[in-house]
Amino acid sequence: MRRPFLSLLVGALVSLSAQADGGMWLMEQLSQKYSSLAARGLQMKEYDLYNPNGTSLKDAVVSFDGGCTGEVISSQGLVLTNHHCGYDAIQQLSSVEHNYLEQGYWARTLQDELPARGVVVTFIDKIEDVTAFVQGQLRQLKGGTGMEFLSPSYLNGLARRHYSERYQRGQQGIELEIKPFYNGNKYLLFVKKVYSDIRFVGAPPSAVGKFGADTDNWSYPRHTGDFSLFRIYADANGNPAPYSEQNVPLRPRRWFDISTAGVQEGDFAMIMGFPGRTNQYALPSEITEWRDIDNTIRIRMRGLRQEVMLREMLADPKTNIMYAAKYARSQNGYKRAIGANWGVSRPDFLRRSEELRSEVERWASGQRDRKKGKVYLDGIARIEQAVAERAALRRQLWWLDEGLWQGIEAMQAPGVDLPLMSLERSFRSYCNKDYSPAVDAKIAKVLLAEYCRQVARADWPEELARGLARYGSVEAYVDAVYAGTRFTKEEGFASFTALPAAEQAKVLETDPLARLATSVRSKMRQLQKALQPFDSQISQGRRDYLAGLGLARAAQGGAGLMDYMADANSTLRFTYGQIQGYSPRDGVRYTVPTTLQGVMQKEDSTSWEFVVPERLKEIYRTQSYGAGKRWASKQADGSYVMPVNFTATTHTTGGNSGSPVFNAKGQLIGINFDRNWEGVAGDIQYLPSYQRSIICDIRYVLLIIDELGGARRLIDELSLVP
Ligand code: ARG
Ligand code: GLU
């Protein structure tokens, strides 16, 4: 009799202590975590980190251009983010004469700061719990789709109707958003201030900002100076305003002090930022689905595609440039999927998921009121049933999506299914200066052949079946499509647009590429539509499952769902841990930090990924680590070491790129930019021994601005603390 009780108790203790690590917490969970933070060394008051009614450190953390995080680092609105986050903006501002990606850029004066059109920087002014209000509205809803509880348009409609008067009246640049947490068991309203006059201030050359490129992506030991600088401009009153010459640098409410003291293994580290998406409450069947369908198909199709791309790129320098960014994008998701499956296959990986499910099952089946417990058990059953029933359709969709839709560029081609107005946009989306129909056709042959091997003929897009029947082989069919279409060349498209409308319609119906692309898209839509009911079942089931988890936890004396992290959803979070290396495999141990010496060791003049700028080599040779070598670490023997990157046990994901990493005093010590590939299954479950955030030491950022960029003006505006 005592045994089960004891093991339950031990189980509870273990899961409580495991909880201390990992987690992307909501700002309001700070009070609950504060003692744990203090025990780990935090020296700040709670309200200095987050103060709902005043200014705090969180006011220096911004969402950068939608998908990334940034931080304000001066009293004049200077924002630090990653090089890969500023990449698109920097590319837009670049030309052949001024290639800022290749050469880097440092604005010498305010006048040299370049408007980055389209980039926005968002502050979170206020966060309000609106759970009771939203759930009340949902209860009153008649009819509907049953999916309103997660629908951004429904929730933001509520925000507009009910909170606009209070928060937006007479204000510029304020946006409101209501977001669901714990799959609709909690709702928060975010009052956001959005600045749209953002200017590019500086960035190192890619040889520093993207050093190691694809080979080093998702890995450590790392040696990348992945940062860029922007500045927020506002009107004379400090309010958001569209670009204008009259605008002035924003005087922010709060900015980060920067520590030049250096960091050591074991030091406390904390991160705030905007993590994008996690799936911490996936049931075991969902996890194996992710591994066996999503990741496995992605790895297979991208592997095949990249093999062809790389062969073509290595054979021709021009193709190499044209396909560099496409290859990088493909490879980023490919390597991530490999890491995810590696993580999922760790012994015991499914155990936490199984334990959470049993916790709910045990509690729900123990309810006296049978009906009450049934909701939660049904929630679990609905998810599992939907996962089982959607498997075949989902597999089809992934083969089609990864293989044809994303894999073959020309599947974006004009077709009868697109509105006339968007034909030009569809054509230019792939057929631009970086497009090679020859390469695309080679890729198409490989991917179509694999698709046909994997998917039953009855499920192929109709036009593919027709084409293959007619030409007899994938090779012959693809050759016919690319030879017979107007839509792989500028002249072809020009001759098309010159036709009268009726003739154009006829071309769209007969052109072999237009026909294939249309058929692929139609199949995609058909599969997405067929899958939708299952996705709804899963979302609704998970809402109930999570509600049950919260009740089960409360029944054990916990705080309910708030004891758990809500899945990431691009809202402001904090995570904490310590600076630490890791050992992903027996006999391998990665240490912190990496140093400038490592950059020199990796130099490879035959590979574009590992070029080291002459000036950086000179800095290393002459140890020009700032006046008095102030950016470097003095060793016991009196020598100096220049740190570059380090890792920490913080729990981060995509979207945390650019996030501030700060010490126990709230001073900036680094900027987050990646995770190790062994740790990406941390999106399902935090992996204390395998998973690390990869961070650029702030002193390397300072060294590059100061010595490589010679941008003293920027150093002078920072608040450096020794
Ligand atoms: N792996 C990082 C992230 O997930 C960096 C990606 C940018 N770098 C690249 N080579 N694609 O977003
Ligand atoms: N590089 C990722 C980003 O852009 C962060 C890596 C991760 O932790 O997934 O947000």
Side-chain angles (χ1 to χ4, degrees):
M1 280 309 286
R2 294 183 62 162
R3 270 273 168 74
F5 176 71
L6 244 183
S7 71
L8 268 184
L9 190 69
V10 170
L13 285 175
V14 166
S15 70
L16 280 179
S17 70
Q19 254 192 59
D21 276 307
M24 306 170 183
W25 306 102
L26 296 167
M27 285 299 137
E28 65 182 274
Q29 283 165 309
L30 187 58
S31 19
Q32 166 192 341
K33 294 284 161 200
Y34 186 74
S35 58
S36 152
L37 280 159
R40 283 157 179 264
L42 180 74
Q43 293 171 37
M44 299 173 78
K45 296 273 185 284
E46 194 185 322
Y47 61 75
D48 205 24
L49 273 165
Y50 173 56
N51 182 349
N53 303 308
T55 318
S56 58
L57 199 60
K58 87 112 181 44
D59 295 307
V61 184
V62 296
S63 157
F64 186 87
D65 210 22
C68 280
T69 304
E71 51 275 5
V72 184
I73 54 166
S74 87
S75 61
Q76 294 149 64
L78 195 61
V79 170
L80 176 66
T81 189
N82 287 147
H83 186 262
H84 78 261
C85 295
Y87 203 80
D88 287 352
I90 303 171
Q91 177 174 41
Q92 289 301 310
L93 290 165
S94 294
S95 60
V96 179
E97 304 84 67
H98 303 286
N99 189 342
Y100 303 137
L101 284 178
E102 201 179 306
Q103 317 279 301
Y105 180 73
W106 306 99
R108 295 294 156 199
T109 67
L110 283 181
Q111 284 69 46
D112 298 319
E113 299 184 352
L114 307 169
R117 312 260 174 184
V119 174
V120 295
V121 165
T122 304
F123 289 86
I124 304 302
D125 265 7
K126 201 168 171 55
I127 309 171
E128 195 176 314
D129 193 317
V130 295
T131 309
F133 164 70
V134 173
Q135 291 183 337
Q137 295 287 313
L138 284 166
R139 269 194 299 275
Q140 285 165 33
L141 201 68
K142 297 208 175 55
T145 61
M147 288 303 295
E148 284 81 4
F149 74 105
L150 292 183
S151 152
S153 66
Y154 174 78
L155 295 171
N156 292 330
L158 286 184
R160 237 183 352 265
R161 283 198 298 284
H162 296 270
Y163 293 100
S164 184
E165 180 68 20
R166 183 175 331 157
Y167 291 116
Q168 286 178 304
R169 212 175 126 106
Q171 302 277 339
Q172 282 161 255
I174 299 291
E175 287 179 11
L176 302 178
E177 186 175 30
I178 292 178
K179 285 269 203 175
F181 296 82
Y182 304 103
N183 246 63
N185 284 284
K186 181 183 177 76
Y187 293 93
L188 296 178
L189 169 73
F190 293 86
V191 181
K192 309 194 282 190
K193 201 167 208 170
V194 185
Y195 286 87
S196 54
D197 184 351
I198 307 302
R199 303 192 194 168
F200 174 46
V201 175
S206 289
V208 171
K210 201 184 154 90
F211 183 72
D214 303 318
T215 301
D216 275 8
N217 189 22
W218 297 114
S219 9
Y220 193 80
R222 195 66 159 271
H223 298 86
T224 311
D226 195 343
F227 79 94
S228 58
L229 292 163
F230 289 79
R231 193 186 303 280
I232 307 167
Y233 281 71
D235 71 13
N237 302 317
N239 285 318
Y243 172 79
S244 155
E245 274 181 39
Q246 263 68 61
N247 286 347
V248 292
L250 174 74
R251 314 221 121 233
R253 290 202 283 180
R254 192 67 194 249
W255 60 93
F256 275 94
D257 288 340
I258 295 175
S259 168
T260 59
V263 297
Q264 268 175 359
E265 181 141 29
D267 282 358
F268 172 91
M270 189 162 176
I271 289 182
M272 282 188 203
F274 294 84
R277 222 164 66 120
T278 58
N279 201 354
Q280 298 283 313
Y281 304 99
L283 294 178
S285 55
E286 294 177 274
I287 298 173
T288 44
E289 178 192 59
W290 187 51
R291 177 190 65 198
D292 298 341
I293 300 184
D294 311 14
N295 292 331
T296 299
I297 294 177
R298 169 164 291 173
I299 293 165
R300 176 74 186 143
M301 283 311 209
R302 291 195 184 193
L304 288 171
R305 177 172 188 246
Q306 288 162 202
E307 211 174 282
V308 180
M309 257 195 216
L310 199 59
R311 196 163 52 232
E312 297 297 314
M313 287 165 72
L314 292 179
D316 171 35
K318 191 159 162 254
T319 310
N320 198 1
I321 298 172
M322 287 160 68
Y323 278 77
K326 292 181 235 191
Y327 186 85
R329 199 172 323 124
S330 177
Q331 199 262 5
N332 194 42
Y334 167 81
K335 204 160 174 180
R336 194 178 184 290
I338 291 177
N341 278 5
W342 182 87
V344 172
S345 66
R346 289 312 80 203
D348 278 355
F349 186 85
L350 294 181
R351 201 171 67 201
R352 173 176 170 274
S353 167
E354 279 157 3
E355 278 169 5
L356 290 179
R357 183 183 57 190
S358 324
E359 205 169 314
V360 176
E361 284 169 345
R362 215 178 308 122
W363 170 80
S365 29
Q367 290 305 296
R368 274 225 207 92
D369 178 353
R370 274 299 177 80
K371 269 236 274 315
K372 198 174 158 222
K374 192 166 179 306
V375 180
Y376 311 103
L377 297 173
D378 284 353
I380 296 172
R382 280 169 85 178
I383 299 174
E384 295 198 315
Q385 190 181 349
V387 169
E389 286 176 355
R390 77 175 176 180
L393 282 171
R394 191 177 178 87
R395 207 170 269 122
Q396 271 193 55
L397 179 67
W398 274 80
W399 285 119
L400 186 72
D401 188 12
E402 279 289 330
L404 313 195
W405 173 242
Q406 292 192 58
I408 305 171
E409 296 173 75
M411 289 306 104
Q412 316 276 339
V416 287
D417 60 329
L418 301 179
L420 281 175
M421 333 229 329
S422 67
L423 292 185
E424 171 143 11
R425 188 148 39 90
S426 117
F427 176 72
R428 304 223 178 275
S429 72
Y430 64 95
C431 199
N432 48 43
K433 66 176 185 11
D434 292 333
Y435 181 64
S436 157
V439 172
D440 200 26
K442 284 186 185 154
I443 291 173
K445 285 179 185 172
V446 172
L447 293 184
L448 281 169
E450 179 67 5
Y451 177 84
C452 294
R453 260 195 299 279
Q454 298 290 352
V455 178
R457 180 179 297 261
D459 297 321
W460 295 353
E462 270 172 46
E463 183 64 18
L464 176 63
R466 199 172 304 133
L468 281 180
R470 173 151 172 222
Y471 290 94
S473 74
V474 168
E475 287 267 322
Y477 174 50
V478 171
D479 284 337
V481 168
Y482 282 78
T485 181
R486 294 177 188 242
F487 298 123
T488 51
K489 286 198 191 64
E490 200 54 49
E491 310 85 79
F493 189 70
S495 75
F496 169 76
T497 44
L499 296 172
E503 300 274 322
Q504 287 189 5
K506 207 176 292 154
V507 170
L508 292 180
E509 265 161 35
T510 51
D511 184 283
L513 179 61
R515 290 180 63 96
L516 179 61
T518 303
S519 181
V520 165
R521 290 191 292 253
S522 139
K523 190 79 199 174
M524 287 268 298
R525 281 189 289 266
Q526 183 199 327
L527 286 170
Q528 280 160 348
K529 195 158 165 236
L531 276 160
Q532 227 247 296
F534 300 108
D535 300 343
S536 302
Q537 287 292 327
I538 291 171
S539 295
Q540 291 165 352
R542 187 172 299 136
R543 174 190 54 195
D544 297 341
Y545 170 51
L546 280 175
L549 188 63
L551 291 167
R553 172 55 60 121
Q556 288 166 27
L561 268 182
M562 290 294 274
D563 278 353
Y564 298 97
M565 73 165 257
D567 267 318
N569 57 356
S570 302
T571 56
L572 185 60
R573 305 296 177 99
F574 70 89
T575 168
Y576 58 94
Q578 54 185 206
I579 295 173
Q580 208 176 81
Y582 62 106
S583 170
R585 283 173 298 285
D586 185 38
V588 179
R589 163 129 187 101
Y590 293 122
T591 58
V592 292
T594 61
T595 68
L596 196 54
Q597 183 179 22
V599 176
M600 304 305 146
Q601 288 172 353
K602 277 184 181 170
E603 182 188 15
D604 177 356
S605 56
T606 65
S607 159
W608 66 275
E609 299 185 283
F610 294 98
V611 172
V612 178
E614 270 318 308
R615 174 72 189 122
L616 192 59
K617 287 194 252 184
E618 187 183 319
I619 289 170
Y620 176 68
R621 234 181 3 251
T622 56
Q623 300 206 357
S624 315
Y625 303 147
K629 304 196 192 302
R630 63 170 167 164
W631 313 132
S633 294
K634 191 167 183 175
Q635 304 302 104
D637 66 359
S639 66
Y640 286 86
V641 165
M642 187 60 226
V644 175
N645 292 164
F646 59 84
T647 56
T649 60
T650 39
H651 193 183
T652 49
T653 189
N656 271 121
S657 278
S659 296
V661 185
F662 51 92
N663 62 17
K665 295 177 181 148
Q667 301 158 343
L668 199 64
I669 52 175
I671 176 168
N672 184 66
F673 71 98
D674 206 0
R675 205 166 15 148
N676 58 323
W677 66 269
E678 296 95 338
V680 296
D683 287 357
I684 302 278
Q685 168 189 329
Y686 181 67
L687 305 163
S689 35
Y690 301 123
Q691 172 177 2
R692 295 293 178 269
S693 305
I694 302 179
I695 296 158
C696 181
D697 193 304
I698 201 65
R699 291 169 299 162
Y700 191 52
V701 171
L702 295 168
L703 172 81
I704 296 297
I705 297 176
D706 186 14
E707 290 289 335
L708 194 79
R712 286 240 56 119
R713 162 182 97 93
L714 299 174
I715 297 284
D716 289 343
E717 101 177 63
L718 306 174
S719 310
L720 302 174
V721 284

